Each structure stands twice: as structure tokens, then as C-alpha cells.
Amino acid sequence: MSRRTAIHLAGFAHTNPVPVASRIGQHVYSGVLTGRDPQTKEFPADLEMQVANVFDRIRELMDAVGGSTDDIVKLTFWLAEYRDRDAINRAWLAMFPDPDDSPARQAMAAQLDNGALLQCDLVAILPEGG
């Protein structure tokens, strides 16, 4: 029996044969979470909508593993336009309003394809017994 559990989300999957995230014990590591619309499977043209979709996937993933956004340790964002962070900052402050109780965050420039303007991944540690 494997200690690792693959996490899959309805309506969200990678094009490659990999899960959305993987969990071992209390530790959760996601693959890439994108701004793709879960119904149309297309990327919205604007960054604001892609950011909203990414933050929806973050919540959905944390719910699927029995945790919450309070369990996230770090989020890493890759941006097509490196300095274009206003939409991320708005969604960030809505999800993590207390600056003394928020995860670490890193933003990096990236060359993304298929209309993606950003993508992210996360690391979370669930409470014991979770």
C-alpha cells in the first residue's frame, strides 16, 4: 500500500498523466494550477478572470484534501507579465487578509503557452489527524 495519495479534481486535469496534487501524510504538494475556465476548458482573455479561476482551484484543492487555505505554507506564481500583480494581490488579500497569518509567496517570470497568463503551485501541511 502506497503512502502517497494522488489528488484529482472534477473538471480540472492536466493534459499529461499526472494528478492535480499529491499527498503523503500531512503534506500536500500541488502540480500547476492554471486559470483555465473549468467549464469551457479555455483561458479567459484577461488576467483578472484567470486569477479568480486559480484562487477557486486553490480553495477546491484544499477542500478535496480535507484542509483549508489556513493550511497553505507557500504559493508560487509564474506570470507571463512579471510585474502585473495587482489582480493577484486583490485575490491574495481576500483569501489571506491578516498579514501576520499568511503563507509565503513567490512570483516568477515565465513563458506560458495556450493563452495562460499565470499559473501557480502550492505546498500545504494539514493538521495532524487530517
Side-chain angles (χ1 to χ4, degrees):
M1 183 166 146
S2 176
R3 296 181 329 133
R4 180 179 41 241
T5 303
I7 309 301
H8 302 278
L9 299 178
F12 183 87
H14 292 278
T15 56
N16 295 304
V18 296
V20 172
S22 183
R23 176 181 178 176
I24 295 178
Q26 297 170 248
H27 300 266
V28 177
Y29 288 78
S30 78
V32 172
L33 304 172
T34 69
R36 189 180 306 271
D37 182 288
Q39 276 72 45
T40 67
K41 309 297 185 221
E42 300 294 324
F43 287 102
D46 67 37
L47 182 60
E48 194 82 30
M49 286 303 304
Q50 287 195 32
V51 167
N53 288 340
V54 165
F55 276 77
D56 286 346
R57 294 301 76 70
I58 291 167
R59 285 182 197 87
E60 187 179 357
L61 172 58
M62 294 311 298
D63 186 54
V65 297
S68 76
T69 57
D70 292 340
D71 302 318
I72 297 171
V73 177
K74 182 178 182 188
L75 284 156
T76 303
F77 290 88
W78 288 269
L79 299 157
E81 295 294 330
Y82 177 65
R83 297 282 177 203
D84 196 359
R85 299 183 196 175
D86 290 344
I88 293 173
N89 288 338
R90 283 189 293 277
W92 182 271
L93 290 172
M95 185 175 280
F96 307 110
D98 182 352
D100 294 324
D101 184 26
S102 64
R105 180 176 112 180
Q106 181 175 9
M108 299 170 56
Q111 185 175 357
L112 305 174
D113 60 4
N114 297 326
L117 300 175
L118 85 155
Q119 60 188 36
C120 87
D121 71 8
L122 67 81
V123 176
I125 301 175
L126 303 174
E128 289 200 40

